[in-house]
Amino acid sequence: MLFRSFLPQSMVAALFDHAAAHEATFKSTSTFGGHDPNYRTSLGLREFGALKPPLDEKILEGVPSFTSALRVRPFTPSHVELEMVVHGDGGFYKRHTDTNTSKDNVVSQRILTAVYYFHAQPKAYSGGALRLFPFGGAETDARYVDIEPEHNMLLVFPSWAPHEVRPVACPSQRFADSRFSINCWVRCTKSLAAAPEVKPGPAA
């Protein structure tokens, strides 16, 4: 499901300022298996400072409508996990799900993935669509839907939905011209989380 004009412009500007101020502290992203540039190429930042509480609040207030629209069993969130990700020229992330995580998975699990997009105006990169695959589909399944990143847009889907980030082209190779996103994972305490349930229907 998509939400356009998701954040007030003042907050979007604050996110840009935060990214620019922390450009030097972004680190190469990794997966549960470690850093593999053949599988994922991007930069990530998990420090949001004063921006985290309002982002958490905005995501959490939407959880009831998210679960209803996506036909996911209702749950009580334990917390929101955030990561700002920058895909520059040549950036990508091959097919994966968001449920295979680190030691945090011992005490909680990701139920919903909400990806917030923002970028320089005018847009200075191309590509970078988020490709969603059918639940339970084989790696060779040719069915998918591509969702183009739009400025100030939120995309929400179940964390166990297979997806990938298509390659990005950013001719200037400037940090500010990259594809910016914020991964917002809504987690549930594992001891309280029932097995995921999704009724037939579209993922987004």
Side-chain angles (χ1 to χ4, degrees), residues 107-170:
V107 295
S108 67
Q109 65 188 78
R110 294 170 177 172
I111 304 295
L112 294 175
T113 294
V115 186
Y116 174 75
Y117 299 101
F118 62 107
H119 52 72
Q121 300 280 52
K123 186 177 179 180
Y125 73 88
S126 60
L130 190 139
R131 178 167 290 181
L132 277 171
F133 298 93
F135 291 110
E139 291 281 344
T140 55
D141 194 328
R143 294 175 298 159
Y144 59 80
V145 58
D146 282 351
I147 299 169
E148 295 295 327
E150 295 180 18
H151 183 64
N152 199 13
M153 181 182 81
L154 186 77
L155 167 67
V156 186
F157 54 91
S159 295
W160 53 91
H163 58 285
E164 68 176 85
V165 177
R166 302 296 294 160
V168 170
C170 183

Side-chain angles (χ1 to χ4, degrees), residues 56-175:
D56 285 355
E57 181 180 0
K58 184 69 172 175
I59 294 297
L60 288 172
E61 71 181 15
V63 168
S65 61
F66 298 161
T67 56
S68 176
L70 295 172
R71 304 181 183 183
V72 173
R73 179 182 297 152
F75 67 99
T76 301
S78 61
H79 64 285
V80 179
E81 178 188 358
L82 297 178
E83 179 185 35
M84 186 180 292
V85 179
V86 179
H87 287 85
D89 191 48
F92 68 95
Y93 193 174
K94 290 187 177 180
R95 179 173 172 155
H96 64 283
T97 65
D98 290 343
T99 52
N100 188 18
T101 60
S102 64
K103 62 183 179 181
D104 292 339
N105 204 38
V106 174
V107 295
S108 67
Q109 65 188 78
R110 294 170 177 172
I111 304 295
L112 294 175
T113 294
V115 186
Y116 174 75
Y117 299 101
F118 62 107
H119 52 72
Q121 300 280 52
K123 186 177 179 180
Y125 73 88
S126 60
L130 190 139
R131 178 167 290 181
L132 277 171
F133 298 93
F135 291 110
E139 291 281 344
T140 55
D141 194 328
R143 294 175 298 159
Y144 59 80
V145 58
D146 282 351
I147 299 169
E148 295 295 327
E150 295 180 18
H151 183 64
N152 199 13
M153 181 182 81
L154 186 77
L155 167 67
V156 186
F157 54 91
S159 295
W160 53 91
H163 58 285
E164 68 176 85
V165 177
R166 302 296 294 160
V168 170
C170 183
S172 75
Q173 298 189 12
R174 294 177 63 243
F175 179 81

